[in-house]
């Protein structure tokens, strides 16, 4: 495959960026999108040009580091992570535009790399439970109804990639926060801090500059782990309950 790539280049956070155009050839349809970028970077190295910076770690769809806007879609044309997107999803001779996540709360650090530290700070404000450590309890010591356990596991699959924010017209992280709220709120261990958790996490969400949710649904449509939209409803219910309780 021969491709034309229009890629966002930005030397650092303080310098304005721009789209640069590159040509790549002999791209196998079995390559992942990141492997294709690796081929481009080898080409740039051989030409004495600085390679394109992009994030990746596991390359197995687990860590969420690899998020890119590809032809205006979070992670590209398939509902998966960028590292699991393969070049068979594109056509020979196609022009592909590659950009970083676009959100005020995700400032560009260099090229396609953004700072997603805002997610970490939201987690620090309540994405945990306080329990006594020590020997592991027996598996049946704290019974959890199956429906609650299943919903908690579904919400816990969120990998924090940021596709929900990048695809949302408002730049909202409500799907991410809702997933964390739902994950812990469905479990007995998460009840003690349930009210303070939602209040603190939502306050940090707003402080970071994420937008408000208007239930457009682009977030769940782009989510590579299929986090359902109803976790935002859970977030809103928990927030109203916390306010009712005086938080």
């Amino acid at each position: 495959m021969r491709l034309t790539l229009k890629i966002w280049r930005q030397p650092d956070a303080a310098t304005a960026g721009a789209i640069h155009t590159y040509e790549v050839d002999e791209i196998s349809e079995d390559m992942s999108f990141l492997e294709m970028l690796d081929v481009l970077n080898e080409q740039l190295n051989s030409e004495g040009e600085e390679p394109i910076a992009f994030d990746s770690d596991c390359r197995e769809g687990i860590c969420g580091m690899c998020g890119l806007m590809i032809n205006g879609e979070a992670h590209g044309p398939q509902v998966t992570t960028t590292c699991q997107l393969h070049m068979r999803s594109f056509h020979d001779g196609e022009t592909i535009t590659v950009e970083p996540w676009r959100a005020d709360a995700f400032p560009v650090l260099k090229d396609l790399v953004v700072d997603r530290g805002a997610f970490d700070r939201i987690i620090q404000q309540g994405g945990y439970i306080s329990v006594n450590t020590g020997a592991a309890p027996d598996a049946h010591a704290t019974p959890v109804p199956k429906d609650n356990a299943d919903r908690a596991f579904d919400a816990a699959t969120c990998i924090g990639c940021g596709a929900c924010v990048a695809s949302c017209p408002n730049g909202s992280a409500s799907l991410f926060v809702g997933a964390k709220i739902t994950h812990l709120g469905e479990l007995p261990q998460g009840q003690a801090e349930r009210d303070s958790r939602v209040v603190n996490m939502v306050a940090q969400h707003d402080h970071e500059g994420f937008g408000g949710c208007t239930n457009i649904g682009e977030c769940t449509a782009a989510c590579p782990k299929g986090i359902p939209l109803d976790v935002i409803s859970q977030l809103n219910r928990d927030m109203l309950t916390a306010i009712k309780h005086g938080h």
Side-chain angles (χ1 to χ4, degrees):
M1 296 173 65
R2 182 178 180 84
L3 301 167
T4 299
L5 303 174
K6 293 182 177 294
I7 300 181
W8 183 262
R9 301 301 307 264
Q10 185 169 338
D12 53 58
T15 307
I19 293 287
H20 291 229
T21 302
Y22 304 95
E23 303 286 340
V24 289
D25 203 353
E26 299 183 359
I27 298 299
S28 168
E29 66 176 13
D30 295 323
M31 288 181 179
S32 73
F33 198 87
L34 296 188
E35 288 173 327
M36 181 275 294
L37 290 180
D38 289 337
V39 170
L40 173 59
N41 277 343
E42 289 178 4
Q43 176 181 312
L44 294 178
N45 272 326
S46 67
E47 295 170 355
E49 187 174 342
E50 186 172 2
I52 297 160
F54 62 91
D55 260 332
S56 72
D57 190 3
C58 72
R59 298 204 177 200
E60 296 177 348
I62 296 171
C63 73
M65 293 287 289
C66 58
L68 299 173
M69 292 299 287
I70 302 169
N71 287 342
E73 297 181 276
H75 290 302
Q78 304 296 324
V79 184
T80 185
T81 53
T82 301
C83 63
Q84 294 298 297
L85 176 69
H86 287 82
M87 297 312 296
R88 66 180 69 96
S89 298
F90 303 93
H91 305 290
D92 185 34
E94 188 170 347
T95 297
I96 304 173
T97 301
V98 189
E99 301 171 275
W101 285 162
R102 294 298 193 187
D104 288 344
F106 291 157
V108 176
L109 297 178
K110 183 176 182 179
D111 294 340
L112 304 176
V113 180
V114 300
D115 180 1
R116 278 174 287 196
F119 272 8
D120 296 329
R121 292 187 288 274
I122 290 173
I123 291 295
Q124 289 166 4
Q125 287 300 315
Y128 57 86
I129 58 172
S130 296
V131 296
N132 294 326
T133 57
D138 293 334
H140 63 282
T142 307
V144 181
K146 187 176 189 305
D147 288 346
N148 297 79
D150 288 346
R151 192 158 189 250
F153 275 119
D154 288 344
T157 59
C158 170
I159 56 176
C161 66
C164 53
V165 178
S167 60
C168 176
N170 306 323
S172 173
S174 292
L175 193 75
F176 168 77
V177 178
K180 303 307 176 185
I181 293 295
T182 302
H183 164 210
L184 297 176
E186 290 289 340
L187 302 176
Q189 298 90 336
Q191 301 311 306
E193 293 145 326
R194 188 165 184 165
D195 287 351
S196 61
R197 176 184 303 118
V198 66
V199 169
N200 292 339
M201 292 181 76
V202 168
Q204 189 66 37
H205 169 280
D206 295 346
H207 176 74
E208 296 290 345
F210 292 107
C213 173
T214 51
N215 287 311
I216 293 172
E218 286 295 324
C219 53
T220 191
C223 176
K225 298 302 178 181
I227 302 297
L229 195 62
D230 67 2
V231 300
I232 299 178
S233 299
Q234 186 68 59
L235 168 64
N236 292 334
R237 283 195 297 269
D238 279 21
M239 188 67 181
L240 290 172
T241 300
I243 293 172
K244 182 179 178 180
H245 291 166
H247 283 266

